[in-house]
Amino acid sequence: MPYRYAHYFVGFVLAVTVAGFWASYFVPTAPMPLAFHVHAITAMTWLAFLIVQSVAIHRRKNAFHKTLGQASFVLFPLLMLGFVAIINLSSARYVAAESDFIMILGPAFGIGMVIALAAYLVLFYNALKNRRNVRLHAGYMLATPLILFESPFSRVIDQFLPWLNVIGSEGPRAVLDTIVVSDVLVACFALALYFRDRKHGTPWLVAIGFVLLQAVVMWFAPDMAFLGPMFDAYGQIPGNLTMAAGAFAGVVVTYLGWTAGSRPKEKVAVSPA
């Protein structure tokens, strides 16, 4: 089976997630918004799901792998709902002009999560569509953790590895520097995986495209004056409606991907009269 050490890779992502959010989420000094809990629980459950799936298939537990895979039909829409919950929270803070930091970086965080959501929809659709091609299916599923790696690792850079911020911007934009560095490192890792198996390397190219798009758009977001009014207008939409839309998008993509990957029906030969 391909990617026999994938569970270690995903486990590393999970460890970085805990390290990056330890101070701000796991040991908070103030109550956390519900959106953080929804996103954290669904995102970490997704990582745990990938770890178990990888271990199961490499131990030849094919039936368990298939059964657990069907649980993703519920988990994935919830994951998308969690993404939208964070977008909504960023938007609400921007509309409320909560701080100068949010007024500068709020739209960047929002558009970054929109790109991440789009990436997950594309990757999961293709994972289901190509589920009969083991290498492509595994690649698309394992590419999903790469999309959000910038979020915890940028915090790890800021807290423990400041020397990795080679861009060196001043003020709030320094946060975007660490995101760019994280995304570039992810792109390099994905590129190495692509060259390892170019025949089945499309998932890694897709991931590279999304993380580099995310890096560029987020870094330049503070200079895009139109994003502020768009973010403000988005904030006027009821949160329940946008979260329902996110979950619905997850359901639709799951259905379309599963349908696209179904075996074509055999044509019944009709004997001439």
Side-chain angles (χ1 to χ4, degrees):
M1 304 300 289
Y3 310 111
R4 61 181 300 184
Y5 300 113
H7 48 287
Y8 294 116
F9 147 66
V10 182
F12 172 73
V13 175
L14 184 57
V16 169
T17 299
V18 173
F21 288 101
W22 183 258
S24 62
Y25 179 76
F26 291 98
V27 288
T29 57
M32 289 284 106
L34 178 61
F36 282 169
H37 295 307
V38 174
H39 177 57
I41 292 171
T42 54
M44 288 191 294
T45 301
W46 183 260
L47 293 176
F49 162 76
L50 292 177
I51 291 171
V52 175
Q53 282 291 72
S54 176
V55 172
I57 199 64
H58 285 101
R59 292 187 177 180
R60 306 296 179 182
K61 306 292 185 180
N62 293 11
F64 177 66
H65 178 89
K66 182 178 180 180
T67 300
L68 188 60
Q70 292 171 350
S72 68
F73 298 171
V74 175
L75 177 57
F76 186 74
L78 292 176
L79 182 67
M80 296 300 95
L81 183 150
F83 278 32
V84 176
I86 293 298
I87 298 172
N88 290 356
L89 180 62
S90 298
S91 176
R93 288 177 166 176
Y94 181 82
V95 171
E98 185 178 275
S99 65
D100 291 340
F101 181 85
I102 288 297
M103 297 310 291
I104 295 172
L105 298 186
F109 294 152
I111 195 67
M113 284 300 292
V114 169
I115 293 171
L117 187 151
Y120 266 74
L121 291 174
V122 170
L123 291 170
F124 191 59
Y125 169 83
N126 280 288
L128 293 179
K129 179 182 177 180
N130 293 284
R131 64 186 182 276
R132 302 187 190 285
N133 183 319
V134 176
R135 290 185 177 276
L136 282 178
H137 172 72
Y140 280 115
M141 290 295 288
L142 294 171
T144 57
L146 299 182
I147 305 301
L148 286 184
F149 185 74
E150 55 79 18
S151 186
F153 193 64
S154 63
R155 288 166 171 80
V156 169
I157 292 175
D158 181 60
Q159 297 172 48
F160 309 111
L161 306 169
W163 53 270
L164 272 178
N165 184 358
V166 296
I167 302 175
S169 299
E170 298 290 335
R173 198 163 202 152
V175 174
L176 300 182
D177 290 354
T178 60
I179 290 173
V180 169
V181 171
S182 298
D183 275 334
V184 169
L185 290 175
V186 165
C188 291
F189 176 73
L191 189 62
L193 290 175
Y194 167 74
F195 281 115
R196 188 168 169 266
D197 182 10
R198 283 184 288 180
K199 181 179 179 181
H200 304 96
T202 304
W204 309 114
L205 293 182
V206 173
I208 289 170
F210 275 111
V211 297
L212 292 183
L213 175 65
Q214 186 181 60
V216 171
V217 172
M218 289 188 71
W219 200 85
F220 284 103
D223 301 322
M224 300 177 183
F226 64 89
L227 284 181
M230 288 179 60
F231 209 43
D232 189 62
Y234 175 86
Q236 309 306 316
I237 304 173
N240 290 339
L241 182 61
T242 53
M243 287 191 293
F248 181 69
V251 170
V252 170
V253 161
T254 300
Y255 172 77
L256 293 178
W258 185 263
T259 303
S262 299
R263 287 194 179 97
K265 294 180 179 180
E266 296 182 2
K267 294 181 179 180
V268 179
V270 179
S271 57

